[in-house]
């Protein structure tokens, strides 16, 4: 039986950070408030310019910090977190996201009831923009396509059996990619409404041109890897048109450049193709996003 007293043997918290020590400090304070202080917390610093300016030992938390002098990207670091942990479940948080309500015990109890689980997605609310990035559609858990990176619970053995995130993606898009691979192996993502995450989505350290570029690039690669062959041309065309229109709207060319880079990269990564059948793809498309 999973209880508050035994939770630390089931779950570790993993956080990646870079040049956002202020945000990390707030997240750690919130973890104390939500009484998750017994859980192992592993933090990887992906090459911040300056060392942590505050004393981590001042928090009543079980923290282990690993600093790297060079940046490899958050996808690489999240794979390292999963490989380092010892617990069955990995609660992944951004350095600017934290749980605010609900029961992690109940979330893990539900996870244990599903032999086919890859990940639990949670309702994610942005208090700065006053909007849900992921909102619960039902009061009970239900299956979804994928999950949002800023707060989710990974079944670590299943995650590692898939080889972790595709590090070729760089920067973003790794969650939907691994969810699609898992889906074809009968491992699924579920939304658990009873544990809410707040994501303040700090702009500190964010490079919008880079986000635009890799968002478009990785979208094109995902289409090539998973969309059925008979639908691939129309799907890629729609993706590229939507990216061009959005670039015009926001006045940034990153999405256009990223889309073209994705097309150029297709031959290099064609060994990653695991195209869904038409039936699988329809099932996937029918699911809520997160």
């Amino acid at each position: 039986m999973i209880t508050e007293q035994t939770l630390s043997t089931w779950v570790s918290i993993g956080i990646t950070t870079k040049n956002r020590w202020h945000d990390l400090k707030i997240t750690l304070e919130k973890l104390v408030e939500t009484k998750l202080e017994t859980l192992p917390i592993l933090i990887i610093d992906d090459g911040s310019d300056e060392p942590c300016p505050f004393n981590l030992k001042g928090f009543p938390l079980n923290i282990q910090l690993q600093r790297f002098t060079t940046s490899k990207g958050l996808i690489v670091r999240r794979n390292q977190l999963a490989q380092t942990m010892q617990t069955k479940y990995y609660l992944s948080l951004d350095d600017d996201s934290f749980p605010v309500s609900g029961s992690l015990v109940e979330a893990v109890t539900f996870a244990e009831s599903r032999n086919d689980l890859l990940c639990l997605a949670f309702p994610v609310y942005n208090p700065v923009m006053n909007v849900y990035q992921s909102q619960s559609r039902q009061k009970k858990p239900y299956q979804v396509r994928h999950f949002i990176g800023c707060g989710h619970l990974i079944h670590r053995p299943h995650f590692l059996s898939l080889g972790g995130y595709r590090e070729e993606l760089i920067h973003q898009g790794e969650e939907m990619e691994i969810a699609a691979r898992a889906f074809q192996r009968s491992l699924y993502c579920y939304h658990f409404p009873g544990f809410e995450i707040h994501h303040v989505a700090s702009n500190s350290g964010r490079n919008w041109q880079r986000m635009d570029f890799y968002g478009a690039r990785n979208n094109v690669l995902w289409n090539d890897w998973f969309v059925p062959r008979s639908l691939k041309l129309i799907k890629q065309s729609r993706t590229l048109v939507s990216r061009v229109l959005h670039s015009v709207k926001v006045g940034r060319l990153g999405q256009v450049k990223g889309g073209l880079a994705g097309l150029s990269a297709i031959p290099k990564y064609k060994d990653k193709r695991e195209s869904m059948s038409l039936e699988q793809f329809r099932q996937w498309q029918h699911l809520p996003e997160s």
Side-chain angles (χ1 to χ4, degrees), residues 192-256:
F192 185 83
F195 189 70
E196 183 162 311
I197 302 289
H198 276 193
H199 182 213
V200 299
S202 170
N203 285 332
S204 175
R206 292 186 189 273
N207 183 324
W208 292 105
Q209 289 287 352
R210 190 168 186 263
M211 292 177 70
D212 287 348
F213 179 89
Y214 282 109
R217 170 191 180 268
N218 296 344
N219 196 170
V220 168
L221 288 175
W222 191 95
N223 290 344
D224 183 67
W225 294 351
F226 296 109
V227 173
R229 183 176 299 178
S230 61
L231 301 179
K232 196 166 294 184
L233 179 59
I234 188 169
K235 180 67 172 175
Q236 291 287 36
S237 299
R238 287 175 175 173
T239 295
L240 291 170
V241 168
S242 69
R243 294 293 183 173
V244 169
L245 292 175
H246 191 266
S247 287
V248 172
K249 180 180 179 181
V250 299
R252 299 191 300 261
L253 292 176
Q255 295 201 30
V256 175

Side-chain angles (χ1 to χ4, degrees), residues 120-231:
L120 278 190
F122 300 121
V124 177
Y125 178 73
N126 183 327
V128 178
M129 301 295 293
N130 191 29
V131 64
Y132 274 94
Q133 294 177 249
S134 175
Q135 190 165 10
S136 301
R137 297 167 179 259
Q138 303 174 20
K139 293 184 178 180
K140 294 182 178 180
Y142 54 94
Q143 189 179 345
V144 291
R145 279 188 228 169
H146 55 86
F147 54 97
I148 293 179
C150 55
H152 56 273
L153 186 75
I154 286 282
H155 187 294
R156 202 173 62 88
H158 287 167
F159 176 84
L160 294 176
S161 73
L162 293 166
Y165 293 125
R166 292 277 192 228
E167 296 177 3
E168 296 87 353
L169 289 175
I170 308 171
H171 197 57
Q172 58 186 327
E174 71 275 17
E175 300 94 354
M176 191 165 78
E177 191 282 332
I178 198 171
R181 266 190 291 138
F183 183 78
Q184 296 185 89
R185 292 163 176 79
S186 301
L187 292 172
Y188 306 119
C189 302
Y190 293 87
H191 182 97
F192 185 83
F195 189 70
E196 183 162 311
I197 302 289
H198 276 193
H199 182 213
V200 299
S202 170
N203 285 332
S204 175
R206 292 186 189 273
N207 183 324
W208 292 105
Q209 289 287 352
R210 190 168 186 263
M211 292 177 70
D212 287 348
F213 179 89
Y214 282 109
R217 170 191 180 268
N218 296 344
N219 196 170
V220 168
L221 288 175
W222 191 95
N223 290 344
D224 183 67
W225 294 351
F226 296 109
V227 173
R229 183 176 299 178
S230 61
L231 301 179

Side-chain angles (χ1 to χ4, degrees), residues 41-71:
I41 301 174
L42 282 70
I43 303 171
I44 287 185
D45 172 28
D46 184 44
S48 289
D49 297 328
E50 302 291 339
C52 183
F54 53 87
N55 181 15
L56 289 171
K57 293 182 179 179
F59 290 90
L61 297 168
N62 181 12
I63 299 174
Q64 178 183 339
L65 172 66
Q66 186 173 9
R67 291 200 68 214
F68 290 90
T69 56
T70 57
S71 177

